[in-house]
Amino acid sequence: MGFLDKLKNKMQKAKGRSKEQAGRDTRDPNLEAEGRRDRMAGGAKQVGEQAKDAAKEARDTFKR
């Protein structure tokens, strides 16, 4: 399940980048802010996934 979550987060970041750029191109500050919000949310979720991976690795290290 971790792989799919990471993929979804990367897609959310990409969607946010495109919305942000579209907002800049059309001079729509609301769309730009929405894109920035999507991009930041995807990044925060990625950090959470990385923390879960690090915890799993630490747990596996001490199991041996």
Side-chain angles (χ1 to χ4, degrees), residues 4 6-7 16 18 26-27 36 46-47 51 58-60 63:
L4 290 177
K6 290 177 186 176
L7 185 61
S18 62
T26 60
R27 298 177 196 252
R36 191 173 302 120
Q46 279 294 90
V47 169
R59 214 176 28 238
D60 290 345
K63 266 186 181 178

Side-chain angles (χ1 to χ4, degrees), residues 5-6 8-14 36-49:
D5 290 337
K6 290 177 186 176
K8 286 180 189 178
N9 297 339
K10 286 184 182 193
M11 292 301 294
Q12 184 176 8
K13 284 175 70 173
R36 191 173 302 120
R37 195 170 36 248
D38 283 345
R39 188 170 49 86
M40 297 300 279
K45 289 177 185 177
Q46 279 294 90
V47 169
E49 288 296 321

Side-chain angles (χ1 to χ4, degrees), residues 15-59:
K15 182 177 80 169
R17 272 192 219 101
S18 62
K19 276 186 183 180
E20 194 173 358
Q21 187 60 46
R24 282 190 198 114
D25 293 344
T26 60
R27 298 177 196 252
D28 183 356
N30 293 328
L31 184 60
E32 187 177 350
E34 185 179 336
R36 191 173 302 120
R37 195 170 36 248
D38 283 345
R39 188 170 49 86
M40 297 300 279
K45 289 177 185 177
Q46 279 294 90
V47 169
E49 288 296 321
Q50 290 171 348
K52 283 196 288 188
D53 288 345
K56 184 178 183 298
E57 284 181 31
R59 214 176 28 238

